[in-house]
């Protein structure tokens, strides 16, 4: 049976801490919903807005693949593996927390807010060597930005997941074929699209099962992330 299960933006967990305005698609921190513990190996999608000069002080992670995707502004990163840099729109960061890593993330600007998505994916095994990489991508059509094998210049992650980014213009259609026994999650970062005829707005997500072909049509300038999951 074909199934598209929607997770609307206004259904997400939400906290406004003043310096941080955050939405949680799945259970995270003080937001706990036993019905929203992730989808397949996708565990966290947080949409964060951080005020100028503010950020997350040094804190630990372990046994998680962490992907950061900036929508506007600039995010500074530093971690105990030696990785550091400033992440801007068009650049994607991947960190393997593995056996243990400590890092900090701050708005790199003293005048402009930063708006970004942070994504956690469960690794295929625990205790991996921590690591960090950051890359700029030209996104045309449906662009592979992270994968298990690092093909086509994508970031290499330790899980059977292909992550695609797309920025369709109004009226543009992008498609993706799902292999048998694969699943998908579509996250709309901005704009409005239809997914196989179902309308989705910024902040909405959709879990897809038992579907062979995904058709994403933009009805206004949009930006989406598509996870192809085992």
């Amino acid at each position: 049976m074909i199934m598209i299960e929607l997770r609307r933006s206004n259904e997400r967990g939400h906290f406004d801490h003043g310096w941080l305005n955050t939405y949680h698609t799945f259970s995270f921190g003080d937001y706990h919903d036993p019905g929203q513990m992730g989808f397949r190996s996708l565990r966290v999608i947080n949409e964060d807005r951080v005020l100028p000069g503010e950020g997350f002080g040094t804190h630990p992670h372990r046994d998680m693949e962490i992907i950061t995707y900036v929508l506007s502004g600039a995010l500074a990163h530093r971690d105990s593996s030696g990785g550091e840099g400033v992440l801007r729109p068009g650049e994607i960061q991947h960190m393997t927390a593995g056996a243990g890593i400590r890092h900090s993330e701050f708005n790199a600007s003293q005048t402009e807010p930063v708006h970004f998505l942070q994504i956690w994916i469960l690794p295929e095994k625990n205790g991996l060597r921590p690591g960090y990489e950051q890359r700029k991508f030209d996104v045309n059509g449906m662009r592979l930005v992270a994968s298990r094998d690092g093909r086509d210049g994508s970031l290499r992650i330790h899980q059977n997941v292909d992550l695609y980014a797309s920025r369709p213009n109004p009226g543009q259609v992008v498609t993706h074929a799902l292999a048998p026994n694969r699943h998908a999650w579509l996250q709309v970062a901005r704009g409005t699209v239809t997914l196989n005829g179902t309308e989705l707005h910024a902040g909405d997500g959709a879990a897809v099962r038992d579907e062979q072909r995904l058709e994403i049509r933009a009805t206004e300038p949009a930006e989406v992330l598509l996870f192809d999951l085992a």
Side-chain angles (χ1 to χ4, degrees):
M1 182 173 116
I2 295 171
M3 180 184 294
I4 297 178
E5 182 179 345
L6 301 181
R7 176 69 162 155
R8 293 297 188 187
S9 176
N10 61 5
E11 298 171 347
R12 298 177 295 175
H14 177 231
F15 298 92
D16 189 344
H17 300 290
W19 66 274
L20 167 67
N21 191 359
T22 181
Y23 288 85
H24 306 322
T25 295
F26 304 119
S27 293
F28 182 87
D30 292 332
Y31 170 64
H32 181 74
D33 180 344
Q36 298 293 339
M37 297 301 296
F39 180 69
R40 313 299 291 180
S41 59
L42 179 58
R43 178 61 188 84
V44 166
I45 303 177
N46 290 347
E47 180 180 5
D48 292 345
R49 291 175 174 85
V50 176
L51 291 181
E54 300 286 352
F56 305 89
T58 302
H59 58 282
H61 292 291
R62 66 182 305 117
D63 295 326
M64 198 67 67
E65 299 291 288
I66 300 174
I67 295 169
T68 305
Y69 187 95
V70 171
L71 294 163
S72 63
L75 186 70
H77 165 95
R78 180 175 296 168
D79 68 57
S80 56
S81 78
E84 64 177 296
V86 177
L87 193 66
R88 294 180 173 86
E91 298 173 305
I92 301 175
Q93 175 198 103
H94 163 241
M95 185 174 69
T96 294
I101 198 168
R102 296 178 63 81
H103 79 140
S104 61
E105 295 166 297
F106 281 87
N107 188 334
S109 171
Q110 295 296 318
T111 58
E112 301 293 332
V114 61
H115 178 200
F116 63 98
L117 299 178
Q118 188 159 100
I119 296 145
W120 291 11
I121 295 172
L122 297 167
E124 54 193 359
K125 63 180 180 180
N126 291 339
L128 294 166
R129 180 179 178 179
Y132 166 89
E133 57 181 337
Q134 178 176 323
R135 197 166 302 159
K136 183 174 179 62
F137 291 90
D138 293 323
V139 175
N140 293 305
M142 190 71 78
R143 177 68 162 93
L144 182 68
V145 296
S147 65
R148 185 194 224 170
D149 57 7
R151 68 188 184 281
D152 299 332
S154 61
L155 300 171
R156 186 184 298 269
I157 58 176
H158 298 93
Q159 183 53 271
N160 188 4
V161 174
D162 289 337
L163 171 59
Y164 296 84
S166 185
R167 300 190 189 106
N169 294 314
Q172 183 180 356
V173 176
V174 292
T175 63
H176 180 72
L178 275 181
N181 301 314
R182 300 288 293 186
H183 304 74
W185 181 277
L186 181 72
Q187 187 69 29
V188 182
R190 68 171 99 239
T192 300
V193 301
T194 60
L195 170 62
N196 291 9
T198 298
E199 189 169 80
L200 298 168
H201 303 276
D204 290 348
V208 183
R209 302 176 177 88
D210 302 316
E211 179 63 283
Q212 294 181 341
R213 184 176 186 271
L214 306 183
E215 181 180 283
I216 301 161
R217 181 186 299 271
T219 57
E220 61 185 55
E223 190 162 2
V224 301
L225 294 178
L226 176 66
F227 300 82
D228 184 324
L229 304 139

